[in-house]
């Protein structure tokens, strides 16, 4: 699986919390699913460009 999230950015955003090592894999999976859904919506609307409304 490709890393879609930047671990250092997540750590910075959650600066007051500890982050479990397996959290990144779970987050990466959710981001991947979100991107797949957005691409399907764009395809369903005959577009090659994924737009914010596809989220």
């Amino acid at each position: 699986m490709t890393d879609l999230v930047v671990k250092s950015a997540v750590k910075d955003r959650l600066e007051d919390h500890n982050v479990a090592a397996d959290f990144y894999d779970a987050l990466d999976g959710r981001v991947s699913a979100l991107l797949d859904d957005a691409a399907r919506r764009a395809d369903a609307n005959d577009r090659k460009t994924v737009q914010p409304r596809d989220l």
Side-chain angles (χ1 to χ4, degrees), residues 1 3 5 20-34:
M1 180 183 291
D3 290 331
V5 297
D22 56 349
F23 177 81
Y24 298 107
D25 289 333
L27 180 59
D28 199 65
R30 295 288 285 271
V31 171
S32 181
L34 186 65

Side-chain angles (χ1 to χ4, degrees), residues 7-47:
K7 290 180 183 181
S8 61
V10 173
K11 286 181 184 180
D12 287 347
R13 178 66 174 90
L14 299 175
E15 62 185 321
D16 294 333
H17 296 82
N18 294 323
V19 180
D22 56 349
F23 177 81
Y24 298 107
D25 289 333
L27 180 59
D28 199 65
R30 295 288 285 271
V31 171
S32 181
L34 186 65
L35 293 174
D36 290 344
D37 289 344
R40 277 192 286 278
R41 286 187 190 98
D43 287 341
N45 288 292
D46 296 320
R47 287 184 281 111

